[in-house]
Amino acid sequence: IKHPDVRRMLMNQKAHAEGMRALVYYTGWVQDQEVLHPDDERWRKLDDLLLPMVKGYSSEKAYELLAQSLQVFGGSGFTSDYPIEQYIRDAKIDTVYEGTTGIQALDLFFRKIARDRGETLTWLAGKITETVKGGGAEDVFVAERELLGKALDDAQGQVGVMVGALFASQEQPAELHKIGLHATSLLDTLSELVIGWLLLRHAEVAHAALDGAAPADRDFYEGKIASARYFARTVLPKAGLRRSLAEQEDLALMDIEDSVF
């Protein structure tokens, strides 16, 4: 565990696992609000918006992280001595059934964002903005809030690029391919944005609980803070690259002859 690369892999798994659990629990809470407030359509729409993130992003990331779990063990991880090799085979089905990840990504953009005219996403962005602007003079999460705010800006920027392509497709149908080429990356960005937001909220609670915490609980709270900081600093910045790639898309990939593949 003192090896830097092993440490990196373990923290990457910890932060993502805690973040995806947070995403699932938050979605469950939203479904509770939907039942408790049946006259408020926002909860049902938010539930719909979160669904492809829970199903699409989490299944892909879980499969990827299981491969990293195996990597931690080195060559012995490939053997049946450890259950990870079985988990990897079993987990892959989650990215395939009930709508492959690519289909989930198209559902997210066309049915949950475009058809909704971005209203629910804007509402969720407002909640995230409250956290970005939170904290007082003694705030220990200044850097993480700034990174979350930058990721929110980049996510909104990529959505804007893809909405622009949607409108342009009315006169140039090929513009729709820009959405197809970047829908999965948008799914990743929005999922990581929500996860980064939830992890930061966890970190705020954990930091407040440190004062007077029993020694047995301190590692748990410190771990929550470490997960949020790692995710903010190493995962959230990816949103900027995805936005840039969407902005620069020239459809060259669609022009390649099929036989080249």
Side-chain angles (χ1 to χ4, degrees), residues 33-226:
Q33 305 314 303
E34 185 180 346
V35 173
L36 292 170
H37 309 284
D39 295 331
D40 192 342
E41 281 289 292
R42 292 179 301 179
W43 295 114
R44 180 189 61 77
K45 291 181 177 180
L46 182 56
D47 182 22
D48 286 345
L49 180 72
L50 294 169
L51 175 61
M53 302 183 199
V54 172
K55 197 281 181 189
Y57 177 83
S58 296
S59 63
E60 287 284 353
K61 188 58 64 172
Y63 182 67
E64 175 187 324
L65 292 172
L66 279 168
Q68 195 168 80
S69 299
L70 187 152
Q71 187 76 14
V72 170
F73 288 98
S76 61
F78 201 74
T79 68
S80 57
D81 294 18
Y82 298 100
I84 296 171
E85 49 88 26
Q86 179 69 51
Y87 294 162
I88 291 176
R89 290 198 299 274
D90 291 346
K92 185 56 189 170
I93 188 61
D94 292 331
T95 70
V96 177
Y97 74 172
E98 297 298 333
T100 61
T101 304
I103 298 301
Q104 293 289 334
L106 292 174
D107 170 75
L108 174 65
F109 178 76
F110 284 109
R111 297 176 62 193
K112 310 304 172 57
I113 297 176
R115 191 164 70 182
D116 184 49
R117 294 175 296 182
E119 291 180 4
T120 304
L121 182 60
T122 299
W123 185 49
L124 178 59
K127 301 294 184 183
I128 297 173
T129 300
E130 292 176 7
T131 301
V132 171
K133 295 181 177 180
E138 303 299 322
D139 184 25
V140 297
F141 299 115
V142 173
E144 289 74 24
R145 293 186 205 280
E146 290 179 356
L147 289 165
L148 181 62
K150 179 63 166 60
L152 176 59
D153 288 342
D154 287 328
Q156 292 172 321
Q158 185 175 352
V159 170
V161 169
M162 295 172 68
V163 169
L166 179 60
F167 282 118
S169 69
Q170 296 175 14
E171 295 183 3
Q172 298 174 287
E175 289 288 300
L176 275 178
H177 291 313
K178 290 183 178 180
I179 298 171
L181 288 169
H182 294 275
T184 299
S185 76
L186 180 65
L187 171 63
D188 290 343
T189 287
L190 291 178
S191 300
E192 289 168 359
L193 174 67
V194 175
I195 287 173
W197 169 55
L198 294 172
L199 287 177
L200 183 52
R201 290 172 61 188
H202 288 196
E204 291 174 329
V205 173
H207 183 264
L210 277 174
D211 278 345
D217 295 329
R218 291 192 66 84
D219 283 349
F220 175 80
Y221 293 135
E222 293 285 4
K224 287 295 183 184
I225 295 170

